[in-house]
Amino acid sequence: MEIQDLLTTQSIGYPFIFLESIDSTNRIAHDLAEQGMPEGCVICADHQTNGHGRQGRSWFSPQGKNLYVSLILAPQKHTMHISQLSLVVGMAIADTLQRYVDDSKKVGVKWPNDIWINNKKCCGILCEIVNAGDIAKHRLIVGFGININLERAELPPEIKDISTSLFIEIGELTYLSREIILAQILQNIETYYHRWLEHGLADFNEEWESRSVLNGRTITVETPSETFQAEVIGLNPDGSLQVKDKKGHHRSITAGDVHITQY
Ligand code: BTN
């Protein structure tokens, strides 16, 4: 992948490491971060043999079709705040993808870090922290997989009904340039990252709420310790999800998975 000539960023994408095939770009980014690779490094692969997602799931990573990318960041903020960056990166990706999709099909964000088009997932984000607790040494690995040119018939049966791609949603007959889309995403990530460093997550609240596919919905919340139904209120200033459970109690969800049970 030749992206250097397309990059408009100051630091994100330097160095840019492209690999034909790798087990997982997050795995190699993790190793590089531990070895002290500086902020901005991007690892991108054409194919992953062991791409993984949240909650131990695997990430479908066929060759030549999609984007599989991991970025190393080293924000000088307390470790407890840095997971907010998955929401910020999600917004940067969603805003970029919206440029390609008709406004009638809103590109949505689903807490904590999925991107949906037309009620189906087209991007997942997996963040991992390296050297947690040490501001000088901690690194955040932000890995994202975006279904770009995948055709409907290529989706494996187990994700066929819940996944989509940019190509499917645009309904075009020609493939999209993954290089151009990635260069635009990296520029957006850089801009939003600096906004977050300066103003915090609160600066994104309104935009995030307007893209959220969960607001007002009834969801099933699965945390490591319990499963319950709740109505979504919105995003809290710290990035957790504010919900109201069946007894009317307001609760903040910081970790876990959520599924829409009622529209
Ligand atoms: C999810 O939705 O569960 C997150 C999926 C994240 C997939 C990406 S693809 C690039 C990077 N490398 C991985 O192994 N995972 C992430």
Side-chain angles (χ1 to χ4, degrees):
M1 178 180 278
E2 283 298 324
I3 195 175
Q4 267 76 9
D5 292 347
L6 299 168
L7 279 180
T8 50
T9 47
Q10 300 290 315
S11 65
I12 306 260
Y14 299 99
F16 185 88
I17 301 172
F18 176 71
L19 303 158
E20 291 290 340
S21 184
I22 189 77
D23 52 349
S24 153
T25 57
N26 260 39
R27 200 271 307 151
I28 192 166
H30 201 283
D31 289 356
L32 290 172
E34 272 181 341
Q35 291 158 23
M37 181 59 90
E39 166 161 286
C41 173
V42 169
I43 297 110
C44 174
D46 194 39
H47 171 228
Q48 293 186 121
T49 53
N50 189 25
H52 47 264
R54 298 176 60 245
Q55 319 277 343
R57 288 185 284 255
S58 67
W59 185 257
F60 181 56
S61 308
Q63 185 185 2
K65 287 275 160 173
N66 300 324
L67 282 170
Y68 317 112
V69 181
S70 297
L71 160 67
I72 300 176
L73 293 174
Q76 296 300 295
K77 285 211 190 195
H78 194 289
T79 306
M80 75 188 233
H81 298 303
I82 70 178
S83 57
Q84 293 177 0
L85 273 171
S86 72
L87 302 169
V88 173
V89 168
M91 280 301 297
I93 297 174
D95 285 351
T96 309
L97 300 186
Q98 187 72 71
R99 295 182 204 163
Y100 290 85
V101 180
D102 194 275
D103 276 346
S104 64
K105 275 186 188 175
K106 192 158 188 165
V107 177
V109 290
K110 174 181 169 280
W111 189 92
N113 34 29
D114 287 355
I115 295 177
W116 281 16
I117 308 176
N118 208 11
N119 289 326
K120 290 178 177 173
K121 178 164 170 170
C122 87
C123 166
I125 302 172
L126 178 67
C127 287
E128 295 174 58
I129 300 174
V130 179
N131 298 328
D134 181 345
I135 292 192
K137 286 204 201 126
H138 71 192
R139 299 279 184 277
L140 183 72
I141 312 298
V142 190
F144 51 91
I146 311 177
N147 296 339
I148 303 281
N149 289 321
L150 210 58
E151 297 187 38
R152 204 181 295 279
E154 293 170 315
L155 283 164
E158 61 277 16
I159 56 167
K160 201 168 117 295
D161 296 333
I162 52 168
S163 302
T164 191
S165 74
L166 206 50
F167 179 83
I168 295 170
E169 294 307 326
I170 294 172
E172 280 196 8
L173 296 173
T174 49
Y175 285 155
L176 300 147
S177 160
R178 289 177 294 164
E179 290 83 353
I180 294 177
I181 296 173
L182 181 56
Q184 292 170 338
I185 285 173
L186 295 180
Q187 177 58 65
N188 247 11
I189 291 177
E190 186 167 276
T191 307
Y192 289 21
Y193 177 48
H194 288 288
R195 242 177 93 188
W196 175 78
L197 284 172
E198 220 170 298
H199 307 288
L201 193 65
D203 206 48
F204 296 88
N205 200 283
E206 236 171 75
E207 290 159 55
W208 202 89
E209 296 283 2
S210 78
R211 287 215 180 276
S212 172
V213 298
L214 293 182
N215 284 1
R217 305 275 185 250
T218 300
I219 58 167
T220 302
V221 181
E222 283 173 29
T223 73
S225 54
E226 58 177 332
T227 298
F228 61 94
Q229 297 242 315
E231 188 194 319
V232 177
I233 309 296
L235 192 69
N236 286 319
D238 64 355
S240 59
L241 190 69
Q242 178 80 10
V243 301
K244 189 165 78 177
D245 69 16
K246 291 283 176 207
K247 291 185 186 139
H249 299 310
H250 282 246
R251 303 175 58 166
S252 295
I253 313 301
T254 51
D257 233 6
V258 302
H259 311 281
I260 297 179
T261 39
Q262 201 178 309
Y263 277 90

